[in-house]
Amino acid sequence: MTAKRIVPRELANRDVDEAIAYYLHEPSEEVALGFVDALERAYRHISRHPASGSSRYAVELNLPGPRSWPLRRFPHIVFYIETKGCIDVWRVWSCPYPTGQAAG
């Protein structure tokens, strides 16, 4: 399977920048780098297996297409839509609840 190109929207990039700034300021540079690594792993997975993301929010919001994928070890979720040519990343939201992965 060919990986699709990841195309983050401006709001998704802003979400990522804010998360990195928080992790640099609060915990440490090491944690910020861990966040970037987790995001890159999530993007790689989504680009290769876009249908594996949860459609829970699409059902709840009655919107066709959106999927979500949690970051491992960080309370963030990537929201995206698969198009013919790319993965359109809408947001990378911090969530106040566990995403099924241990924080840290």
Side-chain angles (χ1 to χ4, degrees), residues 38-102:
L39 181 63
E40 288 174 348
R41 282 194 311 270
Y43 280 178
R44 263 194 313 275
H45 176 84
I46 292 166
S47 74
R48 292 181 182 135
H49 309 284
S52 65
S54 172
S55 61
R56 171 185 170 196
Y57 296 100
V59 171
E60 287 182 16
L61 298 172
N62 196 28
L63 291 172
R67 293 194 172 268
S68 62
W69 188 261
L71 267 61
R72 295 191 72 184
R73 298 185 0 238
F74 290 88
H76 290 76
I77 300 176
V78 177
F79 290 92
Y80 65 94
I81 287 190
E82 178 183 11
T83 67
K84 285 185 178 186
C86 69
I87 303 299
D88 183 5
V89 177
W90 286 5
R91 300 296 300 256
V92 180
W93 271 337
S94 175
C95 53
Y97 54 88
T99 61
Q101 305 294 329

